[in-house]
Amino acid sequence: MTTQMIREVAQESAAQRIDSALAAVEQTMLNVVKSDVEVLRDASTHILAAGGKRVRPRLMMLMYLALGGEDIAYAAAPAAAIELMHTASVVHDDINDHGIMRRGRPSVNAIWGRTFALLTGDFLFTSVYQLMAPYKDLNIMLARAATALVEGETLQAHAVKTNTFTREAYARIISLKTAALFQSAGEIGARLANATPEQIEAAATYAFNIGMAFQIVDDILDIVGDEAKLGKTAGIDIEQGRGFVVANSDASSNPADIVDNIKQKLMSGDYLQEARQQAEAFVNMAIACLDALPPSPYRDELIALAELVVKRDH
Amino acid sequence: MTTQMIREVAQESAAQRIDSALAAVEQTMLNVVKSDVEVLRDASTHILAAGGKRVRPRLMMLMYLALGGEDIAYAAAPAAAIELMHTASVVHDDINDHGIMRRGRPSVNAIWGRTFALLTGDFLFTSVYQLMAPYKDLNIMLARAATALVEGETLQAHAVKTNTFTREAYARIISLKTAALFQSAGEIGARLANATPEQIEAAATYAFNIGMAFQIVDDILDIVGDEAKLGKTAGIDIEQGRGFVVANSDASSNPADIVDNIKQKLMSGDYLQEARQQAEAFVNMAIACLDALPPSPYRDELIALAELVVKRDH
């Protein structure tokens, strides 16, 4: 075989390995939500089967493989736990925000109502807890990220309510509600692979930066995105005073006016342009961290994932 | 010293040790909810400072001490986690049931509103998770109990909604929503003390039975209890179709009639009498399990706790 051919074979086998890893994560999630209680099983399966980008478990598995990890079954449980944690927060979010669409389907809230949505979110939380219970040290990391997530969501709700959604508040909120869980995905992937302390640090920083970029792009898409592609109600963040920051002096006494003002100002380009640049800066910092990893098709995929985060349209 | 004097000194020192253990649990709970996020810290401290019976951590600590456990600081974290898990479910319950009073104070829901109550419950859940992360094997037990709790709450909401609150459903619901967490308290207390397999089994069974009795008495008090003593809105379970079972044939088309019918039937005595007998039977089974423990002032306290469960008026 020529060098080119060998490379192609290696890439193909890497692609298969990534597919197997993500299939294992998917199966683990579906297994853990197989409750005897019909409502919990149905509602959990509904939201899981709707898909989603699976960017967190993908990042974790790629990091694990890129750092030499080989036991996919062992790594699948923490990766599944991270995605379930995200899913739990999404289900509870949709209660608080009255979101009726999620991942291109009616939300759990919309189908089963508020009481069962609340309990389904709780059930997904306790499923995370069950999955992670055997992973002592890694569990401490995910537990911290879970608390950060709830703290970020709370700060966001509070900033909206008190009209104190400043630029600094935005940065703190997204680092807690999104980047902390991403960071734990990177760090756990690296630790599971018995990486060196330098590599673990690089993996955590890569993932944190990806998380920051991911949330900024999410907030941009909430404004300019195509609802059909997003699979969820667009503009909801802005309508509820979240997402990007606009000067409080814009506030009018008419809520419809306020939203229109904000939208117009954001759509005018300056704000979005700045946000896009910020996201790109985070992605560049993330990619630079990957120098600490040996070259491999998995590392290439981590670079591709970083680039996709800013290029995605949903 | 006479034998009588020695016994009195031993009892006094046991009482002090129990007080220290429960103070350690209280401090652990207050420490773990010290979030930087004001709303979460304030709402969590509000519900914790309101007190509550603390029957679960008390049971766990007594079991630990009765089986020779000596490291109060080590045992305090799981005991705190168990009480926080119960507290999280109470905060979410009050959202779903529109409960405005809890532990003699306005509920979190009533003060901070639905969004923050939901997030406070989530935060208490993640605090449990953080506290328990270092306790690998014991963590698995508590994680299972947490899932059971959510399953029990869901079955209850479902039975109410579909008007299928049968006698069998009631037993299954209370074993999941209440007795499973009690059971984990007993089992974890025994395991922390490195008890024998027989003693661990006895501790788990004692606690499970106490949990069953506790919930039955809770449901009785919901009907006949004094609201001021209960510290929460009475009659709420019945109004929402929970608690004891009455034949579905009683159903009238007028909800107010239904509630009146049920209340009258229950107050007439037969149902309550039967429920009290059941609770007493569970307590007797629980006390019998304690034969597997060596005699001590702590075992005496476990007997007293069992007796108090059926005798309490709040």
Side-chain angles (χ1 to χ4, degrees):
Chain A
M1 288 203 283
T2 64
T3 312
Q4 175 62 18
M5 280 166 72
I6 291 171
R7 194 172 292 137
E8 277 167 17
V9 169
Q11 274 171 351
E12 193 181 291
S13 116
Q16 281 168 352
R17 218 159 155 64
I18 294 166
D19 284 351
S20 309
L22 289 171
V25 171
E26 218 59 32
Q27 200 49 56
T28 306
M29 290 196 291
L30 290 171
N31 286 347
V32 76
V33 301
K34 269 185 192 148
S35 169
D36 289 338
V37 178
E38 208 179 10
V39 186
L40 294 176
R41 191 177 62 235
D42 291 353
S44 302
T45 308
H46 168 85
I47 179 84
L48 290 177
K53 290 173 280 290
R54 304 289 194 249
V55 60
R56 297 161 188 79
R58 185 178 176 81
L59 187 158
M60 204 210 95
M61 284 310 225
L62 288 174
M63 193 59 79
Y64 177 70
L65 294 166
L67 287 163
E70 293 187 343
D71 186 349
I72 283 178
Y74 183 66
I82 286 171
E83 183 67 12
L84 287 169
M85 177 73 73
H86 165 62
T87 309
S89 81
V90 151
V91 170
H92 279 181
D93 255 15
D94 282 341
I95 299 174
N96 282 340
D97 303 345
H98 309 280
I100 55 166
M101 289 292 288
R102 178 62 70 171
R103 298 176 179 169
R105 292 184 167 200
S107 65
V108 172
N109 194 35
I111 301 180
W112 283 273
R114 195 157 60 84
T115 295
F116 291 120
L118 199 160
L119 290 163
T120 300
D122 287 352
F123 172 67
L124 292 169
F125 265 129
T126 63
S127 301
V128 169
Y129 185 15
Q130 276 204 271
L131 270 176
M132 289 303 290
Y135 295 77
K136 190 170 153 178
D137 293 338
L138 305 176
N139 203 10
I140 295 172
M141 241 162 273
L142 189 53
R144 272 196 211 119
T147 297
L149 195 166
V150 176
E151 290 180 328
E153 296 281 356
T154 306
L155 279 179
Q156 176 174 286
H158 187 258
V160 169
K161 202 182 164 195
T162 54
N163 198 20
T164 52
F165 215 115
T166 63
R167 198 173 283 261
E168 293 69 33
Y170 179 72
R172 187 177 170 210
I173 286 165
I174 69 169
S175 74
L176 286 168
K177 83 165 184 174
T178 308
L181 191 58
F182 271 82
Q183 180 174 2
S184 79
E187 185 164 355
I188 290 173
R191 282 187 189 271
L192 279 170
N194 294 318
T196 66
E198 291 72 26
Q199 288 171 331
I200 293 170
E201 175 71 24
T205 309
Y206 162 86
F208 178 86
N209 284 313
I210 295 287
M212 294 297 282
F214 185 86
Q215 188 57 56
I216 291 171
V217 172
D218 226 54
D219 293 331
I220 295 175
L221 290 171
D222 183 64
I223 298 161
V224 302
D226 177 338
E227 217 159 280
K229 279 187 189 152
L230 287 178
K232 59 182 176 185
T233 318
I236 196 170
D237 287 333
I238 261 225
E239 266 177 52
Q240 304 196 357
R242 292 194 304 261
F244 298 111
V245 182
V246 283
N248 286 338
S249 59
D250 283 4
S252 130
S253 58
N254 181 338
D257 284 355
I258 298 176
V259 171
D260 275 357
N261 271 344
I262 295 176
K263 261 202 150 158
Q264 231 168 358
K265 193 153 186 181
L266 288 171
M267 297 291 272
S268 73
D270 285 0
Y271 285 86
L272 291 186
Q273 185 62 22
E274 191 196 323
R276 273 211 190 82
Q277 282 167 356
Q278 276 188 356
E280 275 162 24
F282 278 118
V283 161
N284 290 337
M285 286 192 283
I287 291 174
C289 294
L290 297 176
D291 288 345
L293 274 59
S296 76
Y298 307 111
R299 193 182 71 167
D300 294 345
E301 285 297 321
L302 284 167
I303 296 169
L305 185 149
E307 286 166 349
L308 191 66
V309 160
V310 277
K311 284 190 196 128
R312 71 199 173 100
D313 62 0
H314 70 284
Chain B
M1 285 202 281
T2 64
T3 312
Q4 175 62 16
M5 279 165 73
I6 291 171
R7 194 172 292 137
E8 277 169 16
V9 169
Q11 275 171 350
E12 192 181 291
S13 117
Q16 280 167 352
R17 218 159 154 65
I18 295 167
D19 284 351
S20 309
L22 289 171
V25 172
E26 217 59 31
Q27 198 51 56
T28 305
M29 291 197 290
L30 290 173
N31 286 345
V32 77
V33 302
K34 270 188 192 145
S35 170
D36 289 338
V37 178
E38 209 179 11
V39 186
L40 295 175
R41 191 178 61 233
D42 290 354
S44 302
T45 308
H46 168 85
I47 179 83
L48 290 176
K53 290 173 280 290
R54 305 289 195 251
V55 60
R56 296 160 188 82
R58 184 178 176 83
L59 187 158
M60 204 208 95
M61 284 311 226
L62 288 175
M63 194 60 80
Y64 177 69
L65 294 166
L67 286 161
E70 294 188 341
D71 186 348
I72 283 178
Y74 184 66
I82 287 171
E83 182 67 12
L84 286 169
M85 176 75 74
H86 164 62
T87 309
S89 81
V90 150
V91 170
H92 279 182
D93 254 17
D94 282 340
I95 299 174
N96 283 339
D97 302 346
H98 310 280
I100 52 164
M101 286 294 285
R102 178 63 69 172
R103 298 178 180 169
R105 291 184 169 200
S107 66
V108 173
N109 195 36
I111 300 180
W112 282 274
R114 197 157 59 85
T115 295
F116 291 120
L118 199 161
L119 290 163
T120 300
D122 287 353
F123 172 67
L124 292 169
F125 265 129
T126 63
S127 301
V128 170
Y129 186 15
Q130 278 204 271
L131 269 177
M132 289 303 290
Y135 295 77
K136 191 170 151 178
D137 293 337
L138 304 176
N139 202 11
I140 295 173
M141 240 162 275
L142 188 53
R144 275 199 210 115
T147 297
L149 194 166
V150 176
E151 290 179 328
E153 295 280 356
T154 306
L155 280 177
Q156 175 174 286
H158 187 259
V160 169
K161 200 181 166 195
T162 55
N163 198 19
T164 53
F165 215 116
T166 63
R167 198 173 284 260
E168 293 69 33
Y170 178 73
R172 186 174 170 214
I173 286 165
I174 69 169
S175 75
L176 286 168
K177 83 165 185 174
T178 308
L181 190 58
F182 270 84
Q183 181 174 0
S184 78
E187 186 164 352
I188 289 173
R191 284 189 188 270
L192 279 171
N194 294 316
T196 66
E198 291 72 27
Q199 288 172 330
I200 292 170
E201 176 70 25
T205 310
Y206 162 86
F208 178 85
N209 284 314
I210 295 287
M212 294 297 282
F214 185 84
Q215 188 57 56
I216 292 170
V217 173
D218 225 52
D219 293 332
I220 295 175
L221 289 172
D222 183 65
I223 299 160
V224 302
D226 176 338
E227 216 159 280
K229 278 187 190 155
L230 287 177
K232 59 184 176 184
T233 319
I236 196 169
D237 288 333
I238 264 227
E239 265 178 52
Q240 306 196 357
R242 293 193 305 260
F244 298 109
V245 182
V246 282
N248 288 338
S249 61
D250 282 4
S252 131
S253 56
N254 180 338
D257 282 356
I258 298 175
V259 171
D260 274 357
N261 270 344
I262 295 175
K263 262 203 149 156
Q264 231 169 358
K265 194 152 185 182
L266 287 172
M267 298 290 274
S268 76
D270 284 3
Y271 284 87
L272 290 186
Q273 184 62 23
E274 191 195 324
R276 274 211 189 83
Q277 282 167 355
Q278 276 187 357
E280 275 162 23
F282 278 117
V283 161
N284 290 336
M285 287 192 282
I287 291 174
C289 294
L290 296 177
D291 288 346
L293 276 60
S296 75
Y298 307 111
R299 193 181 72 166
D300 294 344
E301 284 298 320
L302 285 167
I303 296 170
L305 185 150
E307 286 167 349
L308 192 66
V309 161
V310 278
K311 285 192 196 127
R312 70 198 174 101
D313 61 358
H314 69 286

